[in-house]
Amino acid sequence: ALNQLGSFLAHSGRDHPRGIALLDDSLSKYRELGDDFAAARLLDDIAFGYSLTDQVKRLSYGRQSLELRRRIGDQIGVAKVLRNLSIAAVWIGRPREARSYLEEALYIARQMRDLNSIGWMVSLQAEDSLLRGHFAESQAQVEEAYQIGQEINAIDLMNNCRIVSSLQYAIIEGDYSRARQVLLEIHPPITEEDMLWWGFTAQALVACGLDEFAEARNAIQSALAMMVKTGVSLAAWPQFMPVVAIVLFQGGQPNFAAECLGYFYYLRGDVVAWGGQWGLLSRLRVDLENTLGQEAYESALERGKTISIEAVLAQFGAP
């Protein structure tokens, strides 16, 4: 009962502190009983509870659950916690670690023929492939994941696929009207309550392609608010900083726009490869260098390596 109530309160965000406290209490009782299977589940429940507030704690509890589940041979549990760990690793900007978790989880899910897990993990792979510039692979993966979503009627999975598809249309094909249409197919629409900060990023990117910079700014503000609330790193979703840079440049802030671009290029190559093939980003680089001059532009790029989410928030009128 403590487990169920704690999960409800913590995972829904209705009363996070009480939910976590109840889960901790449940974990202690299962440990006293020597029930490792239940304790491993509790550790994962606590980890997922921190998905709303603290990604570092999410990883820490998730790793404890993974270690215990491996020890007792709970393969289904291993696959579940690996998926949670992969998302947490992405959200704090560790794509290679996330990729390792995801590959193992997908291997187990395919062995078990767990369609829901397969669909979600393939959709996450589609995101990763897109960032790495593996566009054909990303498109094939999102198609597989979406088909699974249709087969099992998993609305959240299909909506996640729609977000990735919209980014594919925008970045790969430059078809921003089609990308907008795909985002409009999401039901219910993306809202702050959905915790879809990456969905707001997609909205902002597509709006930039349609020269709707006020809409892009609003979407960025929503994404930033959720990123701060959940402890997400600026490195978590590399589409974000180039979009921020475009909006700032269009708003007459070329110096800070170039700093944001510098942060993006300072990230590892395995998550920024897509940028070399995105037309809007290529155009922004030319515009910034022409506006600032080469020396000032390169200096701003260098300063951007250490930019913080607080600095970005300040540029968008946030405290």
Side-chain angles (χ1 to χ4, degrees), residues 17-32:
R18 184 175 177 227
I20 292 295
L22 291 172
L23 289 172
D24 282 336
D25 192 5
S26 179
L27 175 62
S28 296
K29 285 177 167 52
Y30 277 124
R31 281 176 165 163
E32 288 173 10

Side-chain angles (χ1 to χ4, degrees), residues 156-170:
D156 288 346
L157 170 57
M158 288 190 285
N159 283 345
N160 193 66
C161 291
R162 288 183 175 108
I163 292 172
V164 181
S165 293
S166 72
L167 291 167
Q168 291 172 344
Y169 281 117

Side-chain angles (χ1 to χ4, degrees), residues 102-256:
L102 195 56
E103 288 171 356
E104 183 181 357
L106 180 57
Y107 174 77
I108 295 171
R110 289 196 188 279
Q111 285 187 318
M112 297 187 301
R113 300 183 181 179
D114 179 353
L115 288 180
N116 184 62
S117 292
I118 293 169
W120 269 104
M121 286 179 278
V122 173
S123 77
L124 295 173
Q125 284 189 328
E127 297 171 10
D128 181 61
S129 296
L130 179 67
L131 298 182
R132 297 163 69 195
H134 301 167
F135 294 149
E137 185 177 351
S138 177
Q139 289 171 320
Q141 288 164 335
V142 84
E143 287 175 8
E144 178 188 356
Y146 189 79
Q147 287 174 359
I148 291 173
Q150 285 182 311
E151 181 178 343
I152 63 176
N153 195 32
I155 303 300
D156 288 346
L157 170 57
M158 288 190 285
N159 283 345
N160 193 66
C161 291
R162 288 183 175 108
I163 292 172
V164 181
S165 293
S166 72
L167 291 167
Q168 291 172 344
Y169 281 117
I171 294 169
I172 301 171
E173 301 178 20
D175 189 345
Y176 295 96
S177 296
R178 179 65 181 128
R180 165 70 59 79
Q181 185 58 44
V182 171
L183 287 176
L184 291 174
E185 292 172 3
I186 294 177
H187 298 289
I190 297 169
T191 64
E192 291 189 16
E193 289 75 19
D194 292 327
M195 296 292 295
L196 290 174
W197 54 270
W198 56 90
F200 282 116
T201 300
Q203 284 186 338
L205 187 148
V206 171
C208 285
L210 296 170
D211 294 334
E212 297 174 357
F213 299 110
E215 179 183 333
R217 175 176 282 271
N218 289 336
I220 287 171
Q221 288 173 327
S222 295
L224 282 167
M226 284 185 284
M227 291 170 76
V228 170
K229 178 181 177 181
T230 56
V232 170
S233 165
L234 283 175
W237 196 235
Q239 280 91 333
F240 189 63
M241 291 303 277
V243 175
V244 170
I246 290 172
V247 171
L248 289 173
F249 178 74
Q250 293 295 331
Q253 297 172 272
N255 276 292
F256 198 78

Side-chain angles (χ1 to χ4, degrees), residues 54-111:
D54 191 323
Q55 303 310 309
V56 174
K57 286 185 178 179
R58 183 182 184 184
L59 274 172
S60 175
Y61 280 98
R63 287 170 179 151
Q64 293 176 58
S65 177
L66 179 63
E67 180 182 354
L68 185 52
R69 281 173 155 163
R70 287 196 196 281
R71 191 163 73 240
I72 64 178
D74 176 12
Q75 282 293 89
I76 293 175
V78 166
K80 180 182 177 183
V81 73
L82 283 168
R83 172 181 157 190
N84 192 12
L85 284 168
S86 72
I87 295 172
V90 168
W91 285 16
I92 61 174
R94 299 179 186 171
R96 293 178 182 175
E97 181 179 344
R99 202 171 298 136
S100 175
Y101 291 138
L102 195 56
E103 288 171 356
E104 183 181 357
L106 180 57
Y107 174 77
I108 295 171
R110 289 196 188 279
Q111 285 187 318

Side-chain angles (χ1 to χ4, degrees), residues 236-298:
W237 196 235
Q239 280 91 333
F240 189 63
M241 291 303 277
V243 175
V244 170
I246 290 172
V247 171
L248 289 173
F249 178 74
Q250 293 295 331
Q253 297 172 272
N255 276 292
F256 198 78
E259 290 180 22
C260 289
L261 208 57
Y263 181 90
F264 172 73
Y265 285 123
Y266 185 65
L267 297 174
R268 289 186 294 271
D270 61 349
V271 294
V272 302
W274 66 275
Q277 302 182 60
W278 185 33
L280 288 187
L281 183 53
S282 299
R283 188 170 72 193
L284 175 65
R285 293 172 60 185
V286 173
D287 289 343
L288 282 171
E289 190 166 355
N290 289 340
T291 300
L292 297 173
Q294 184 175 356
E295 184 176 346
Y297 171 65
E298 291 180 355

